[in-house]
Amino acid sequence: MKSFSFTIPPKESSVNSGKIDVECPSNIALVKYWGKYENQIPANSSISYTLTNCKTKTFFTFQKSTEFNVAVTLDGVQKEEFATKIKKYFSSIEQYLPFIKEYSYEIITENSFPHSSGIASSASGFGAIAKALIKMRDQLFPEKEFSQKEIETSFLARLGSGSASRSIYNGLVVWGNNDGIDGSSDEYAIPFPYQVHENFRNYHDTILLIHEGQKTVSSTVGHGLMNNHPYASLRFNQANENLKKLIPILESGDFKGFIALVESEALTLHAMMMMSSPYFILMKPNTLACIEKIWNFRKLTNSNVCFTLDAGANLHILYPKSEFEHVQSFIKNDLLKYTENGNYINDSICF
Ligand code: DP6
């Protein structure tokens, strides 16, 4: 694995205050991160597509202060619990940004996706905060050269939320050490470093909101249940192998290989949940109903549409741009009735 050292700035700066606007997209994993060690070190490598429309916008202000404080407003509402979480996060990264507790912060943040959608906001949320912190470091020390900004942003984002490390780059992004991927690291994500066929450079992700609102089991708890999981080591090896298998699939444009691997990853993630102790199920009956419809549609029409899942009930429907019209009418005619309120999000990946 590549070794890396964070460029640590001084503690004192003559800059008293500043304002930073950033935005960061969410991402959808194709090979899933599920299980981690201390300090947000992933138990296996993962790869995701960075989305376009689902993103977080953050307006970040900092002011020199004798009291270190963080206030957070999300979609217009003050959020105590987020403020506490971010304050804790800032304290945890003080070793990399020694100035961090010399200021107090106001963080105003907006998600482009509906708050109730259950879409992971931690990836785009922590990605945006990490971007703001790296910009703040630049503003505090304008005379200094910081040469590895993207890596450092991804590194800091990872310490907030693992999947956030991948949201720093566009396109296909790898996080976690994999001996088949040059430059991969457990500490930060990198853009997928190999050839990607046209077939996979213009992709669509339509997210069906099958269940809106809070999940019954958080990702943090789910990751924790991979400790002492009877299938953990098999799963971690499988994920690393799947990522290696994806390299020639992405290079050659092999839709069938992509579909088989991506759907298997989604179902394996949920199988791990069902085999955890205590066990749990995040899919809903309508998630399964949609999966069956997708399989039937594929069989009947030879389409290359497939699905993946996050740690939740909502289905991500993935398909190439060339099939946009065809799959959109399938979604509208056959799948929307399985959503809770008829809601869905059309997103895309283009790089
Ligand atoms: C199923 O990144 O949300 O979406 O590191 O605890 O914040 P923390 O977990 P998080 O886990 C994401 C899990 C996943 C798979 C993935 O995105 O790779």
Side-chain angles (χ1 to χ4, degrees):
M1 187 167 50
K2 243 181 150 179
S3 81
F4 153 79
S5 66
F6 199 96
T7 317
I8 298 173
K11 183 172 175 168
E12 298 297 334
S13 159
S14 57
V15 177
N16 285 326
S17 63
K19 238 184 183 167
I20 294 157
D21 291 354
V22 280
E23 55 178 54
C24 185
S26 188
N27 68 73
I28 179 67
L30 304 172
V31 173
K32 310 287 180 181
Y33 146 58
W34 198 242
K36 61 177 163 181
Y37 307 118
E38 233 175 282
N39 293 327
Q40 295 281 103
I41 296 301
N44 62 259
S45 49
S46 57
I47 184 167
S48 55
Y49 264 142
T50 294
L51 298 174
T52 310
N53 300 334
C54 287
K55 58 186 174 199
T56 299
K57 273 190 183 169
T58 294
F59 309 94
F60 183 100
T61 50
F62 59 90
Q63 175 82 45
K64 210 167 239 176
S65 165
T66 48
E67 201 198 345
F68 163 54
N69 198 29
V70 181
V72 178
T73 306
L74 172 64
D75 295 332
V77 184
Q78 276 239 321
K79 292 277 178 188
E80 267 320 309
E81 72 275 22
F82 285 145
T84 310
K85 197 169 168 185
I86 302 217
K87 200 170 172 196
K88 204 168 142 207
Y89 166 63
F90 281 7
S91 298
S92 77
I93 56 175
E94 192 184 4
Q95 56 185 307
Y96 305 108
L97 304 175
F99 57 80
I100 204 158
K101 286 188 173 165
E102 305 297 303
Y103 295 83
S104 70
Y105 303 82
E106 205 180 311
I107 299 171
I108 299 174
T109 184
E110 287 167 9
N111 289 329
S112 67
F113 39 93
H115 187 49
S116 63
S117 65
I119 300 209
S121 53
S122 71
S124 53
F126 274 105
I129 288 177
K131 283 184 179 182
L133 289 170
I134 290 294
K135 286 194 175 196
M136 177 180 176
R137 185 184 64 174
D138 283 347
Q139 288 188 9
L140 296 191
F141 306 102
E143 69 291 351
K144 287 217 179 299
E145 270 288 317
F146 297 107
S147 60
Q148 22 178 28
K149 283 184 204 169
E150 281 189 317
I151 289 179
E152 291 179 342
T153 307
S154 175
F155 178 96
L156 289 181
R158 175 198 110 238
L159 292 170
S161 175
S163 54
S165 66
R166 299 185 307 239
S167 272
I168 304 308
Y169 304 94
N170 269 343
L172 283 160
V173 185
V174 171
W175 169 45
N177 185 31
N178 184 306
D179 61 18
I181 309 249
D182 287 337
S184 60
S185 167
D186 284 343
E187 293 185 298
Y188 52 83
I190 56 164
F192 178 70
Y194 305 119
Q195 200 77 33
V196 178
H197 192 278
E198 263 326 293
N199 284 356
F200 297 116
R201 300 183 80 93
N202 254 309
Y203 237 66
H204 283 271
D205 178 5
T206 298
I207 307 157
L208 292 184
L209 303 186
I210 288 172
H211 179 70
E212 303 196 21
Q214 210 58 15
K215 287 184 287 195
T216 44
V217 180
S218 72
S219 290
T220 312
V221 171
H223 284 294
L225 293 174
M226 287 303 283
N227 298 323
N228 306 318
H229 192 293
Y231 294 93
S233 68
L234 280 173
R235 164 59 197 155
F236 301 148
N237 281 333
Q238 180 201 40
N240 289 330
E241 290 309 308
N242 276 346
L243 182 39
K244 285 184 212 170
K245 284 184 194 160
L246 205 49
I247 300 171
I249 291 175
L250 291 171
E251 186 178 358
S252 63
D254 172 9
F255 283 127
K256 299 291 174 242
F258 180 85
I259 292 168
L261 193 144
V262 167
E263 290 190 347
S264 164
E265 272 290 317
L267 293 178
T268 305
L269 168 72
H270 285 258
M272 288 295 123
M273 298 173 187
M274 293 185 214
M275 290 187 283
S276 294
S277 177
Y279 46 80
F280 60 105
I281 301 179
L282 294 182
M283 288 188 284
K284 298 286 176 196
N286 280 352
T287 314
L288 294 179
C290 288
I291 290 176
E292 210 169 300
K293 288 273 178 194
I294 291 170
W295 285 345
N296 276 336
F297 178 76
R298 210 159 63 212
K299 212 157 142 195
L300 287 175
T301 66
N302 221 10
S303 159
N304 290 307
V305 67
C306 72
F307 71 86
T308 188
L309 292 156
D310 256 340
N314 297 330
L315 212 59
H316 287 248
I317 303 180
L318 300 175
Y319 47 101
K321 187 174 190 254
S322 55
E323 293 190 26
F324 184 75
E325 305 297 339
H326 190 206
V327 176
Q328 283 281 308
S329 43
F330 162 59
I331 290 172
K332 283 173 192 152
N333 295 334
D334 293 337
L335 299 184
L336 280 191
K337 55 175 168 278
Y338 296 105
T339 60
E340 199 172 335
N341 299 306
N343 291 334
Y344 67 103
I345 299 169
N346 268 339
D347 213 328
S348 60
I349 300 101
C350 182
F351 61 106

